[in-house]
Amino acid sequence: MIELLVQSTHWQLLLTALAFVALAGVETLFPLSGDRRHRARRWFANAALFLMGFGAVFMASPLILKGAAWVQGALHFPPLTGLGLPAWLLVLISFLLIDLLAYLTHALFHGAPWLWRLHRAHHSDVVMDASTGVRHHPVEALVSAALQLMIFAILGVPLLVILAYGLITTLWQFVTHADVRLPEPIDRALRLVVVTPGMHRVHHSVRMDEGNSNFGMVLSIWDRLFGTYRRRPAAERAGMALGVEGAEGAPKLAALLVDPLHP
């Protein structure tokens, strides 16, 4: 299991770097807002946060997996892998459960004040581009990974599906946060199924009634199902104010790391 985790980590880092380079290029060719303020400082801070969070989760994963296995064994909850489902159905159900849990976890990080203080670093980016997708406080990354892996173990979700979803969602975050001008008919059609740049940009609005909406990670169906879907006309999205009230344009890395200490 640990060898599989190490191998997947290498692939995730490589594909993450390639995806960022690709999306940064697309942003240059087809920009939505074209806002490039403080890009060097922002990219450095966002990349540093990602690497710190990634490293923390990687180092803690063996302990988290052991704890998750203990919880599953203690509860004697029938695992999905023990239901005798066809492989394709097991993968499909597992993917849907993981994405639903990601939606619920995201909503929880907005709803619980102490979790919001961890998640606030992600939303404090007043310029949104592909790098914003990996701008998460390391403690948030660790708490989220521990919480989700515990629940995955209780449900008995196959580890391969978990690792595959982790890779998919990391890559998709570059897409949904990209400063890309996607033709509105295409964006509108795609967001019937998946989260799109146009849909997720509303989630980063400085207005909290919009910020507390569109929590989906990959699939958009959960927002529609639970009534948290919000939209804005395409003409308004390019110039809409992003971030959180009082956020600086390009805070230093140290300021982002200590931000959860502030109410």
Side-chain angles (χ1 to χ4, degrees):
M1 182 179 294
I2 301 301
E3 291 181 1
L4 180 62
L5 182 65
V6 172
Q7 291 176 4
S8 69
T9 298
H10 293 161
W11 278 107
Q12 186 167 353
L13 284 173
L14 175 60
L15 292 177
T16 296
L18 292 175
F20 174 71
V21 171
L23 264 298
V26 174
E27 287 178 332
T28 302
L29 295 174
F30 308 101
L32 176 63
S33 70
D35 194 338
R36 299 294 180 262
R37 288 175 293 163
H38 313 293
R39 185 163 69 172
R41 182 186 291 184
R42 288 180 51 257
W43 280 12
F44 170 78
N46 294 353
L49 288 176
F50 167 72
L51 291 174
M52 293 170 68
F54 193 92
V57 172
F58 177 75
M59 295 296 291
S61 287
L63 182 60
I64 295 173
L65 289 172
K66 288 181 180 179
W70 181 88
V71 170
Q72 202 282 332
L75 292 178
H76 300 290
F77 194 86
L80 288 173
T81 50
L83 298 180
L85 299 172
W88 68 269
L89 185 57
L90 175 62
V91 170
L92 176 61
I93 292 176
S94 297
F95 183 89
L96 291 175
L97 284 174
I98 294 173
D99 200 57
L100 172 59
L101 181 60
Y103 165 88
L104 295 174
T105 302
H106 192 180
L108 179 63
F109 270 86
H110 276 254
W114 69 277
L115 290 176
W116 166 248
R117 286 162 64 176
L118 292 174
H119 188 55
R120 185 169 55 196
H122 177 66
H123 279 268
S124 65
D125 209 351
V126 298
V127 178
M128 187 169 163
D129 61 22
S131 74
T132 309
V134 294
R135 177 186 171 119
H136 293 281
H137 196 280
V139 179
E140 178 195 359
L142 195 57
V143 171
S144 180
L147 174 64
Q148 294 186 24
L149 282 175
M150 286 291 181
I151 297 176
F152 295 156
I154 294 172
L155 296 175
V157 177
L159 180 60
L160 278 175
V161 181
I162 296 173
L163 294 176
Y165 181 86
L167 179 58
I168 291 170
T169 191
T170 298
L171 301 181
W172 197 246
Q173 290 305 291
F174 286 128
V175 175
T176 57
H177 290 85
D179 182 37
V180 173
R181 184 177 298 279
L182 190 65
E184 182 60 14
I186 296 177
D187 191 284
R188 189 185 305 116
L190 288 175
R191 66 176 177 256
L192 292 173
V193 181
V194 296
V195 178
T196 64
M199 176 180 171
H200 195 70
R201 192 174 183 86
V202 177
H203 176 70
H204 279 262
S205 171
V206 73
R207 289 173 42 185
M208 289 312 295
D209 61 315
E210 293 181 325
N212 289 323
S213 68
N214 297 0
F215 296 115
M217 299 299 287
V218 177
L219 301 177
S220 64
I221 57 174
W222 311 119
D223 282 296
R224 298 178 186 278
L225 183 62
F226 294 108
T228 54
Y229 174 72
R230 292 287 299 271
R231 63 176 297 275
R232 259 214 197 186
E236 299 178 8
R237 291 200 295 264
M240 65 188 294
L242 307 174
V244 294
E245 290 290 346
E248 298 180 25
K252 294 182 179 179
L253 176 61
L256 290 171
L257 289 173
V258 301
D259 182 64
L261 300 177
H262 304 299

